[in-house]
């Protein structure tokens, strides 16, 4: 398998975390990529019209994107149980994945606004709205990351770990831990997991 890769992409990290959890990481070749919202990498575009990472090529030559599709493929390929097959637990885990993905989307939009848009055109209220999505998501997980969920290893909790790691990486001054002792303790423990340690963004 091959994957268009960026060491700083939280969505690529999510896929690689899943690959590590399933023992598939050694089977994936990392292809360099320069995906961006303005300067688009035409090498990626030729296989994925969105021009985004992650884009995965299976051993059979099929092209898969985005991270949710790639992770589901890897879970099936590796015979994993990171995505429950049915019942209420399936919908809980997929909804948590969606929330954590949404937090990452908001973080990326905020970063693009500050890092790429010319200063005279920046929209501070836009950034505020995106950061509020992150805050609300953090508060939701603070209230829910207890009991059985605190010990769960699935696509929901792994995506959340990637989201928190991205906040530490790109928003170090945000202080997401403040007032969230449950989430702070959970992430500290989760960060010691081999799949998380092996995929720290650079």
């Amino acid at each position: 398998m091959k994957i268009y890769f960026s060491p700083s992409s939280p969505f690529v990290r999510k896929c690689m975390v899943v690959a590590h959890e399933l023992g598939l990481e050694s089977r994936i070749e990392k292809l360099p990529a320069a995906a961006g919202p303005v300067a688009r990498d035409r090498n990626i575009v030729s296989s994925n019209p969105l021009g985004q990472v992650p884009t995965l090529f299976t051993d059979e030559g099929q092209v898969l994107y985005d991270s949710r599709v790639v992770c589901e493929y890897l879970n099936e390929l590796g015979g994993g149980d990171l995505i429950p097959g049915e019942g209420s637990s399936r919908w809980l885990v997929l909804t948590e994945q969606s929330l954590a993905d949404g937090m990452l989307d908001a973080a990326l939009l905020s970063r693009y606004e500050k890092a790429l848009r010319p200063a005279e055109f920046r929209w501070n209220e836009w950034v505020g709205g995106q950061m509020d999505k992150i805050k609300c998501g953090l508060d939701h997980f603070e209230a829910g990351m207890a009991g059985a969920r605190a010990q769960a290893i699935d696509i929901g909790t792994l995506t959340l770990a990637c989201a928190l790691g991205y906040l530490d990486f790109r928003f170090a001054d945000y202080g997401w831990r403040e007032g969230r002792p449950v989430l702070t303790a959970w992430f500290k423990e989760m960060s010691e997991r081999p799949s998380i340690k092996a995929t720290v963004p650079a």
Side-chain angles (χ1 to χ4, degrees), residues 21 73 84 87 101 106 113 134 150-151 158 161 166 172 180 192 197:
E21 290 286 338
Y73 172 78
D101 276 345
E113 187 74 17
I134 296 171
Q151 303 303 318
L158 294 174
Y166 188 74
R180 300 186 182 95
E192 294 301 314
K197 294 176 75 171

Side-chain angles (χ1 to χ4, degrees), residues 18 21-22 24 72-85:
V18 166
E21 290 286 338
L22 298 168
L24 297 172
E72 186 158 354
Y73 172 78
L74 293 174
N75 187 65
E76 180 176 304
L77 181 66
D81 58 1
L82 299 178
I83 304 173

Side-chain angles (χ1 to χ4, degrees), residues 2-202:
K2 299 179 182 180
I3 192 170
Y4 274 120
F5 177 85
S6 168
S8 62
S9 166
F11 292 110
V12 171
R13 184 187 189 189
K14 172 184 165 184
C15 295
M16 295 310 299
V17 165
V18 166
H20 275 271
E21 290 286 338
L22 298 168
L24 297 172
E25 75 282 357
S26 64
R27 294 176 54 181
I28 302 177
E29 178 185 351
K30 297 174 183 176
L31 304 176
V38 179
R40 303 177 71 231
D41 188 329
R42 292 295 159 181
N43 289 323
I44 306 175
V45 171
S46 65
S47 300
N48 174 356
L50 299 176
Q52 296 175 338
V53 294
T55 297
L56 181 85
F57 300 86
T58 71
D59 288 337
E60 295 73 32
Q62 188 171 9
V63 184
L64 304 178
Y65 45 86
D66 60 3
S67 67
R68 280 175 276 201
V69 176
V70 172
C71 288
E72 186 158 354
Y73 172 78
L74 293 174
N75 187 65
E76 180 176 304
L77 181 66
D81 58 1
L82 299 178
I83 304 173
E86 60 185 9
S88 60
S89 60
R90 173 178 173 81
W91 308 120
L92 170 64
V93 166
L94 291 179
T95 298
E96 287 189 350
Q97 174 186 215
S98 183
L99 175 55
D101 276 345
M103 293 164 62
L104 280 172
D105 285 335
L108 285 167
L109 288 172
S110 295
R111 174 165 169 74
Y112 290 154
E113 187 74 17
K114 292 182 177 181
L116 298 181
R117 190 181 297 277
E120 63 270 24
F121 298 122
R122 288 176 192 162
W123 189 4
N124 291 330
E125 291 80 5
W126 167 266
V127 173
Q130 300 307 315
M131 297 306 294
D132 189 58
K133 293 180 184 179
I134 296 171
K135 175 188 178 300
C136 291
L138 290 167
D139 290 344
H140 174 87
F141 282 117
E142 172 69 16
M145 195 54 63
R149 288 309 291 152
Q151 303 303 318
I153 302 298
D154 54 44
I155 197 61
T157 56
L158 294 174
T159 306
L160 174 59
C162 292
L164 298 180
Y166 188 74
L167 291 179
D168 281 348
F169 178 57
R170 291 299 194 194
F171 297 83
D173 59 347
Y174 177 59
W176 66 262
R177 292 170 176 81
E178 185 175 351
R180 300 186 182 95
V182 173
L183 204 52
T184 298
W186 175 83
F187 184 60
K188 182 178 181 180
E189 182 176 348
M190 192 73 164
S191 295
E192 294 301 314
R193 196 164 182 86
S195 65
I196 302 299
K197 294 176 75 171
T199 56
V200 173

